[in-house]
Amino acid sequence: MISKEKKELSEADIKAKFITPALVNAGWDEMTQIRREVTLTPGPVVVRGNLSSRNKKKKKFADYVLQKEKGVPVAVVEAKQNNYTVSHGLQQALGYAGILEVPCAFSSNGDGFASHDKTAHPGEDIETEFALEAFPSPDELWRRYKHFRGILDEQEALVTEPYYDDGSNKEPRYYQAEAINRVVEKVAQGQKRLLLVMATGTGKTYTTFQIIWRLWKAKKVRRILFLVDRNILVDQTLVNDFKPFGSVMTKIKNRKIDPSYEVYLGLYQALTGPDEEDKIFKTVSRDFFDLIVIDECHRGSANDDSAWKEILEYFNGAIQLGLTATPKETKYASNINYFGEPIYTYSLKQGIQDGFLAPYKVVRIDIDKDIHGWTPPPGMKDDLGNEIEHREYSQADMDRILVLNKRTKLVAQRVMKLMTATDPYQKTIIFCEDIDHAERMRMAIVNAAGSLAKENSKYVMRITGDSLEGKAELDNFIDPESRYPVIATTSELLTTGVDTKTCKLIVLDKSVNSMTTFKQIVGRGTRIEESQNKYFFTIMDFKRATELFKDPEFDGEPVVIYEPDEDDDPVPPDPNPDEDGEGGDGDDDDGIKKVYVSGVEVCILSERVEYLGEDGKMVMESYRDYSRKNILKEFTSLDDFLQKWSSAKKKTAIIEALAEYGIELPKLAQDVGKDYGDFDLICHIAFDQPALTRHERANNVKKRNYFTHYGDQARAVLEALLDKYADEGVASIENNSVLKLAPFNRMGTPVEIINGIFGGKANYEQAVQALESELFTQAN
C-alpha cells in the first residue's frame, strides 16, 4: 500500500490490516492470547451537588493486551494512525503497562513497532524500533515476563494454571488479576505468610476464589480452610463466588470437621472457644489444611490472645493468606506484624480514581449539646425521677451515658429531611451507639417518616444481633430488587462483610474509635450498582468521625463546605459561582446505666458538605464550576468554541466530546435553566455570554424571514425542524429519524422528504447545516 493511501486509513484499519497480522505472524494466538480494545478502568464518577456522571476522558483503554494465559498479561500494544510516528503511542502504552505491571510496551502506526523493555540488560537499549515482521514471539515475551517477576522455570506450571472460566468470558479486573497472580507467584516461590489489602467493594471474595481454584487445580494445595467471623459471609460465599467447588465444599457446623471434604468454610467461633473441648480445630492433625485464608484479618488475628491466632498457630505449616480492607491497625496490633508487608494493595482512593468504586460526599452536622457540652442544673432529675450527676456531658457521652430524647428526634428528622428531598427509598444504614440507641432511633425514624412508615411497617427495621425479626430482613435489605426495608438502624452487625450494593446513605450517630471500624463502615457504600443508578453515596456524620479518621493515602480526601441554618434545604446545593468561595455477630450493650432526659432542647449549630474529587483531593466547586473548568480544556476561548461549533458537521459531536469529561448538558440545564439549548449553556457557563432560550433563538430566525428562498414544501420542513429545535434542542434535528415523527410524517416518508423535496441526502444535510448556522449566527 502506498504511503498516501496508508495515511488516510483509520486507526481501526491500521490495526486490522497491519498490527493484528503482525502479531499473528509472530505466533500469538488470536483467540486466546490477543485481547483487543481492553477497558482497564471505566473512568471516575464525578459528583457535584446531587448530580453524578463519569469522566470518560480518564478512562484507560488499551488497544491490545497480550497474555500468556487468560488473566496473565505480559505486554501492551498501542495503535495509532499512520500519520503519527511509530513511537507516538509508546508513552501511553507504558502507562497501561504500569497498571498491569508487565515489562514490555509497544507502539505502532502500521509501519513498524517501537518497544520499551524493562528487562533490557545493562548496555542494551531500553527503547528500540523494528519492522512489523520482527515482533517478539510469545516465548520471548514470556521469558522477559518471568525475568521481570522473578519466576523460575520450575515454578512456571503453577503460575500458568488457568483461571476458572464459567463460559461467560468474564475477565478479572486488572487489579484482581494482579492480586491473584501475585499470590500464586509468591506461593510458587515458597512464601507461606501472605497479606492482600483490597478496599471494600473491590471483589475480595471473587479474587480469593480464583486464588484457591488455581492452587487447588494445580494440586499445590488439597484442603483449604476459609475463615470468616460472620455467618452471613459464609452463606453468601457458598452460594455465590465459591459455588463452582460444588460437592467438595462444606460449611463447618455442629462443631465438627468432616474430613471427607476439601474446601471448608467456617466461622472461627465455630472452631474454637474458651474451653479446651470447644477447640474443635484440634480434632484434625496440624497438617490437615494446606491453605488457610482469613477474611477481614484485621479483626484480631494479629493479637496474641486472638482466637484466630490460636487456629493459625496450630496449622502453622499451612500457607496462610490474610485479606483485609485495612492496611494496618494500631500500635498495639498489626496484621503486618503477623503476615508481613502486603504483597499487593488496592486502595479505596485508587478504586475511586479508576471508577470501580463509588465516590462519596460527607455531610457533617454539629449539634449544640455535642459541641458545647451540657451540664444539668443542680438538682435536675431524669425521666425516672433520679437526680442527674452534676457534671459536663460531652459528645462522647451522648447515647452511651446521656440520652437526650430531643437529640434523637432531631437526628431522625434531619435524616428524613435529606431522604425526602432526594430519594426516600434509598437504602440507608444508621449506625448507633448500641442496641438501645438503635431501637430508639428506629422509633424516631418511624415518627419522622410519617406516611412512608405507615405505607409499610418494614420501611425502617432495627437489624441488630438480638433481633430475630431484624436479622430475618437482612437478605431483603441487601437485595437490590427488594424495596423494603429501606432504612436499617444498627450498632455493629452491619459494619463488615454485608454486601449492601445499593446503600446510598450512611448515617454515623456512633462514636468511632478505630480506623478499622471506620473503614469497614464506609465500605458499606463503596459499591457501584449501575442498574440501580447508584454511582455515589453520602455519609451523614453527627459524631465528627469523618474528621478523626483521615487516611488520604488509602482513602483519598472527601470532596465545598455548606453551613445552612436549621430551616435551610438539607440537600447540599451547588455553591454560588459568584461567591468565594469492631464486633461479633451481635450488638452488645455494655451494661452502663444510662440517664434519660426528655425536656432538654437541642439544635444544629452548623452543617457542611465535602465532595470527593476524582483525583482523591478535596475540591470546592459546583457542577457549574466543574463544567466551566473542563469546557475550557476543550476550547481555549470563545472564538475557538464558535469556530469549532460552526465548522462541526454535527453539533452532537461537540456535545459528546464534553460528555467524555463527565459534562452532561441536560444536568447543567437544571442549574442554569431547562429552556436553554446546548450552545447557550456552553457560551454562558464557560465564556460568560448572555444566554438565549431555544425559543428565542428560533423566533429570531423566523423574524429574519430566512426561509423565503426555499420552496413551499422545503420551507414547511425547515420551519417544523426549527420548532423541533425550540422544543427539544439541536440533537433532535440532526437525527434523520425525526422525519418519521409528526408533523413530518404528514409531509411524506423520510425518503420522500429527503429525495423528493430536497433532491437528495447531501442537499438535505446542507439545508440543516444552513439552518443551524442561522440559529447560532451570534453568541448573544
Side-chain angles (χ1 to χ4, degrees):
M1 179 176 290
I2 63 173
S3 177
K4 182 178 179 181
E5 292 175 335
K6 197 172 185 179
K7 290 188 180 301
E8 293 176 353
L9 293 177
S10 67
E11 183 179 301
D13 286 335
I14 292 293
K15 288 189 285 188
K17 295 177 182 293
F18 298 98
I19 300 177
T20 299
L23 298 178
V24 172
N25 289 337
W28 292 89
D29 188 294
E30 193 168 2
M31 299 301 294
T32 63
Q33 293 183 307
I34 301 175
R35 293 179 64 201
R36 283 172 285 195
E37 300 179 354
V38 181
T39 298
L40 301 177
T41 71
V45 175
V46 178
V47 182
R48 297 295 182 272
N50 205 40
L51 304 174
S52 65
S53 56
R54 280 201 186 273
N55 186 340
K56 295 179 182 178
K57 282 286 183 182
K58 295 194 174 182
K59 174 181 179 180
K60 293 181 173 64
F61 180 89
D63 289 320
Y64 295 87
V65 173
L66 304 181
Q67 56 186 24
K68 170 67 173 176
E69 304 285 349
K70 182 177 181 180
V72 186
V74 296
V76 175
V77 182
E78 186 62 26
K80 294 297 176 185
Q81 290 177 271
N82 191 249
N83 48 20
Y84 292 103
T85 63
V86 171
S87 65
H88 187 83
L90 195 53
Q91 286 189 161
Q92 190 175 347
L94 278 169
Y96 301 150
I99 291 173
L100 296 174
E101 302 203 30
V102 297
C104 294
F106 301 92
S107 171
S108 177
N109 65 352
D111 288 340
F113 287 97
S115 168
H116 182 105
D117 179 11
K118 295 182 185 298
T119 67
H121 296 296
E124 293 180 344
D125 288 339
I126 298 171
E127 293 196 354
T128 58
E129 293 186 6
F130 49 83
L132 288 174
E133 57 270 19
F135 193 83
S137 68
D139 287 343
E140 170 60 21
L141 291 191
W142 178 240
R143 182 193 63 77
R144 297 183 197 178
Y145 179 86
K146 288 198 299 181
H147 176 73
F148 182 68
R149 306 277 291 208
I151 300 168
L152 302 179
D153 291 345
E154 57 267 27
Q155 299 162 356
E156 182 174 332
L158 178 56
V159 170
T160 57
E161 179 65 38
Y163 282 68
Y164 173 76
D165 188 348
D166 62 2
S168 66
N169 293 320
K170 177 181 179 180
E171 294 273 359
R173 294 171 175 174
Y174 83 85
Y175 63 85
Q176 293 171 336
E178 183 59 25
I180 295 163
N181 292 337
R182 286 280 188 98
V183 173
V184 173
E185 288 172 17
K186 293 299 182 184
V187 170
Q189 292 162 9
Q191 192 166 324
K192 286 199 164 187
R193 297 292 178 269
L194 307 158
L195 178 63
L196 279 181
V197 179
M198 296 175 67
T200 301
T202 55
K204 287 198 296 294
T205 310
Y206 168 76
T207 300
T208 303
F209 163 72
Q210 289 287 8
I211 290 169
I212 296 173
W213 179 269
R214 292 177 67 191
L215 295 176
W216 178 66
K217 276 292 188 180
K219 296 182 170 54
K220 180 66 177 180
V221 299
R222 180 187 170 201
R223 292 197 186 97
I224 301 99
L225 174 62
F226 184 43
L227 272 178
V228 301
D229 71 338
R230 298 288 170 94
N231 202 49
I232 189 173
L233 301 181
V234 176
D235 295 336
Q236 286 178 347
T237 303
L238 276 167
V239 300
N240 294 324
D241 289 312
F242 278 41
K243 188 177 180 180
F245 284 118
S247 61
V248 305
M249 176 174 58
T250 188
K251 174 182 178 180
I252 298 175
K253 50 190 174 183
N254 300 324
R255 305 196 67 78
K256 181 182 178 182
I257 300 176
D258 185 339
S260 62
Y261 293 90
E262 297 183 46
V263 179
Y264 297 78
L265 279 65
L267 298 170
Y268 79 86
Q269 298 97 320
L271 271 73
T272 188
D275 301 321
E276 192 63 26
E277 59 265 26
D278 297 325
K279 304 181 190 303
I280 67 164
F281 64 89
K282 292 186 177 181
T283 63
V284 297
S285 64
R286 287 177 174 269
D287 61 357
F288 185 80
F289 292 113
D290 306 302
L291 169 66
I292 300 178
V293 181
I294 310 95
D295 191 31
E296 308 294 358
C297 67
H298 58 271
R299 298 182 63 78
S301 61
N303 297 334
D304 289 339
D305 59 351
S306 163
W308 289 21
K309 185 71 173 293
E310 185 179 41
I311 298 171
L312 296 180
E313 288 187 339
Y314 183 80
F315 299 108
N316 61 4
I319 300 163
Q320 296 177 359
L321 170 63
L323 307 173
T324 182
T326 307
K328 57 187 176 182
E329 293 184 81
T330 69
K331 63 182 179 180
Y332 304 109
S334 169
N335 43 39
I336 292 174
N337 288 342
Y338 184 83
F339 292 101
E341 291 291 334
I343 61 171
Y344 187 69
T345 296
Y346 189 72
S347 67
L348 174 62
K349 178 180 179 180
Q350 189 62 53
I352 292 172
Q353 290 178 355
D354 284 344
F356 292 119
L357 295 181
Y360 56 95
K361 59 183 178 183
V362 177
V363 182
R364 293 185 183 139
I365 299 171
D366 292 335
I367 297 175
D368 61 341
K369 299 301 185 290
D370 291 24
I371 303 306
H372 299 320
W374 178 72
T375 303
M380 185 177 182
K381 296 182 178 180
D382 64 15
D383 292 351
L384 298 178
N386 301 314
E387 187 170 325
I388 305 172
E389 181 184 356
H390 185 69
R391 70 173 180 86
E392 182 176 303
Y393 293 85
S394 68
Q395 186 174 60
D397 296 318
M398 296 300 167
D399 291 296
R400 296 189 68 84
I401 296 174
L402 176 67
V403 176
L404 300 179
N405 288 323
K406 290 193 175 181
R407 184 191 179 283
T408 307
K409 182 178 180 180
L410 177 63
V411 171
Q413 290 173 338
R414 203 60 172 171
V415 171
M416 286 312 305
K417 192 174 182 182
L418 177 63
M419 292 183 67
T420 302
T422 53
D423 175 9
Y425 293 100
Q426 60 189 299
K427 295 286 185 175
T428 299
I429 305 175
I430 305 178
F431 288 97
C432 304
E433 294 289 358
D434 50 35
I435 292 172
D436 168 66
H437 186 199
E439 174 57 21
R440 289 186 293 102
M441 184 60 70
R442 184 198 67 79
M443 294 176 64
I445 290 288
V446 167
N447 293 328
S451 61
L452 291 166
K454 286 182 181 179
E455 181 183 327
N456 190 299
S457 62
K458 295 179 180 178
Y459 180 79
V460 53
M461 296 287 292
R462 171 170 58 88
I463 302 180
T464 50
D466 71 322
S467 173
L468 295 177
E469 297 81 7
K471 288 198 290 186
E473 291 297 324
L474 184 54
D475 284 344
N476 287 327
F477 180 71
I478 65 179
D479 183 358
E481 302 303 322
S482 178
R483 170 167 280 193
Y484 299 103
V486 175
I487 303 172
T489 66
T490 191
S491 173
E492 296 283 355
L493 187 60
L494 300 180
T495 54
T496 72
V498 180
D499 193 8
T500 50
K501 294 180 180 178
T502 56
C503 180
K504 292 184 179 180
L505 177 60
I506 293 172
V507 180
L508 292 175
D509 197 23
K510 173 186 180 69
S511 299
V512 183
N513 300 309
S514 161
M515 175 72 84
T516 296
T517 302
F518 177 72
K519 288 180 185 295
Q520 293 298 319
I521 288 174
V522 170
R524 299 314 98 210
T526 55
R527 290 164 175 81
I528 288 177
E529 190 70 11
E530 298 190 12
S531 64
Q532 300 292 322
N533 196 34
K534 192 273 180 93
Y535 292 92
F536 71 96
F537 67 104
T538 300
I539 301 173
M540 205 171 191
D541 181 11
F542 290 92
K543 289 290 183 78
R544 290 193 162 186
T546 52
E547 289 183 345
L548 295 172
F549 297 103
K550 286 188 175 181
D551 187 1
E553 288 302 311
F554 191 78
D555 300 328
E557 295 279 3
V559 214
V560 149
I561 297 182
Y562 165 54
E563 299 184 353
D565 293 328
E566 170 64 19
D567 295 328
D568 285 347
D569 190 336
V571 182
D574 283 347
N576 187 331
D578 297 324
E579 295 180 0
D580 295 327
E582 210 160 266
D585 221 28
D587 301 58
D588 297 327
D589 288 325
D590 52 21
I592 297 174
K593 185 177 180 180
K594 295 184 179 182
V595 177
Y596 296 83
V597 185
S598 296
V600 177
E601 297 293 334
V602 296
C603 67
I604 291 174
L605 288 178
S606 65
E607 180 171 328
R608 56 200 186 279
V609 178
E610 297 177 333
Y611 300 100
L612 184 71
E614 60 200 270
D615 57 358
K617 297 180 180 179
M618 186 180 294
V619 297
M620 300 185 69
E621 63 181 2
S622 64
Y623 193 74
R624 176 196 287 245
D625 293 335
Y626 173 84
S627 299
R628 177 188 180 96
K629 178 177 70 179
N630 285 284
I631 291 170
L632 291 173
K633 289 180 181 177
E634 192 75 10
F635 309 107
T636 57
S637 65
L638 175 61
D639 287 342
D640 180 37
F641 166 69
L642 293 176
Q643 189 276 324
K644 289 178 179 176
W645 180 272
S646 176
S647 61
K649 186 175 182 181
K650 288 200 172 184
K651 314 308 180 193
T652 48
I654 289 178
I655 298 167
E656 290 166 0
L658 294 180
E660 291 288 307
Y661 289 99
I663 302 171
E664 297 186 26
L665 294 174
K667 291 181 179 179
L668 196 57
Q670 295 176 26
D671 178 47
V672 180
K674 59 184 178 61
D675 294 327
Y676 295 112
D678 301 322
F679 176 83
D680 285 276
L681 285 171
I682 296 169
C683 288
H684 180 64
I685 293 298
F687 306 110
D688 301 315
Q689 296 296 300
L692 296 179
T693 67
R694 295 189 302 272
H695 281 89
E696 287 173 331
R697 287 200 171 274
N699 288 333
N700 286 344
V701 174
K702 292 177 181 178
K703 290 175 185 177
R704 292 197 288 268
N705 295 318
Y706 167 71
F707 302 110
T708 55
H709 62 282
Y710 287 98
D712 291 343
Q713 289 180 304
R715 184 164 61 245
V717 173
L718 293 172
E719 286 177 344
L721 285 173
L722 190 61
D723 291 337
K724 184 65 71 173
Y725 164 79
D727 291 336
E728 300 178 16
V730 71
S732 64
I733 68 174
E734 290 189 341
N735 187 340
N736 290 352
S737 294
V738 72
L739 299 179
K740 299 177 182 179
L741 307 176
F744 306 100
N745 56 4
R746 295 192 291 270
M747 304 176 189
T749 66
V751 172
E752 290 171 341
I753 292 172
I754 292 173
N755 294 332
I757 297 177
F758 287 91
K761 185 177 180 181
N763 290 339
Y764 173 75
E765 291 180 347
Q766 185 178 6
V768 173
Q769 290 175 33
L771 174 61
E772 290 180 347
S773 178
E774 190 69 18
L775 269 169
F776 308 118
T777 296
Q778 301 175 11
N780 52 35

